[in-house]
Amino acid sequence: GQNIDQPTEMTATEGAIVQINCTYQTSGFNGLFWYQQHAGEAPTFLSYNVLDGLEEKGRFSSFLSRSKGYSYLLLKELQMKDSASYLCAVRDKEAAGNKLTFGGGTRVLVKP
Amino acid sequence: DTEVTQTPKHLVMGMTNKKSLKCEQHMGHRAMYWYKQKAKKPPELMFVYSYEKLSINESVPSRFSPECPNSSLLNLHLHALQPEDSALYLCASSLGGELFFGEGSRLTVL
């Protein structure tokens, strides 16, 4: 089974930096994904980590430590359009069909 | 074509109705998924098809019946649903990496 935890809500100011943490416990880790979801829309893929370390993609970076069961998503130079839910998802290698399980999501509110 | 297309976008049905949700992708992805999402909750996995065969059923009630007619299409047949089944139903596909999601079908059961 899997247990994925992330904060429920975070608030930050436009232009600032926000770090969203995700901790997980899984029987067979095979990668961690971050998705962004605006209200009423489908989730969109942001980043993927399978090895330890930092992956950078423009204003977004994601970090993974497999030994600690820990990841974070870093959003820099926040913009109003970054107000959304951010979902941490873990892939289980024990399961057939590339099973992806989502954490509860973190709602980020960017204020002017 | 990097899209997953879902129809209909909105569906209202009574508890005695039979309806279907449809999903289509032309990216050559061999894994396709149905997720259910309630408001302010994360997507919950329902079914996974891998190479057109059902590989995961997350103990979903039989009033939901998935079907994968070919590698590009995925259906979800609905019958005798309950009001608590009202939710956003998301289809996704994957080549083994990230999932690509459709826009979802918003279902209301009266």
Side-chain angles (χ1 to χ4, degrees), chain B residues 77-109:
Chain B
H77 303 298
L78 315 170
H79 175 53
L81 294 194
Q82 304 296 310
E84 59 264 30
D85 296 323
S86 298
L88 181 68
Y89 288 84
L90 292 163
C91 174
S93 70
S94 167
L95 199 56
E98 72 267 28
L99 268 60
F100 291 78
F101 283 90
E103 295 283 320
S105 292
R106 188 162 297 283
L107 174 67
T108 302
V109 182

Side-chain angles (χ1 to χ4, degrees), chain A:
Chain A
Q2 293 172 330
N3 189 26
I4 304 169
D5 289 313
Q6 48 181 130
T8 307
E9 278 190 3
M10 301 182 75
T11 301
T13 306
E14 195 175 13
I17 298 173
V18 70
Q19 178 174 315
I20 306 169
N21 296 324
C22 172
T23 57
Y24 64 89
Q25 294 168 316
T26 181
S27 52
F29 177 81
N30 194 25
L32 187 144
F33 298 78
W34 283 97
Y35 281 82
Q36 179 192 60
Q37 186 174 27
H38 286 98
E41 298 182 11
T44 54
F45 169 75
L46 291 178
S47 71
Y48 170 60
N49 296 72
V50 66
L51 299 176
D52 292 349
L54 188 68
E55 294 283 338
E56 297 189 80
K57 259 189 183 183
R59 293 189 300 115
F60 294 172
S61 304
S62 58
F63 171 82
L64 175 68
S65 168
R66 288 171 296 169
S67 62
K68 295 182 180 176
Y70 168 69
S71 173
Y72 68 72
L73 180 70
L74 196 68
L75 284 63
K76 295 180 262 190
E77 300 168 19
L78 279 172
Q79 301 176 7
M80 299 299 291
K81 67 178 182 180
D82 297 330
S83 291
S85 281
Y86 292 85
L87 301 161
C88 172
V90 174
R91 186 163 65 190
D92 182 355
K93 75 176 170 186
E94 302 298 334
N98 193 25
K99 178 177 176 177
L100 203 64
T101 302
F102 287 86
T106 300
R107 283 194 299 281
V108 172
L109 177 61
V110 181
K111 293 186 172 180

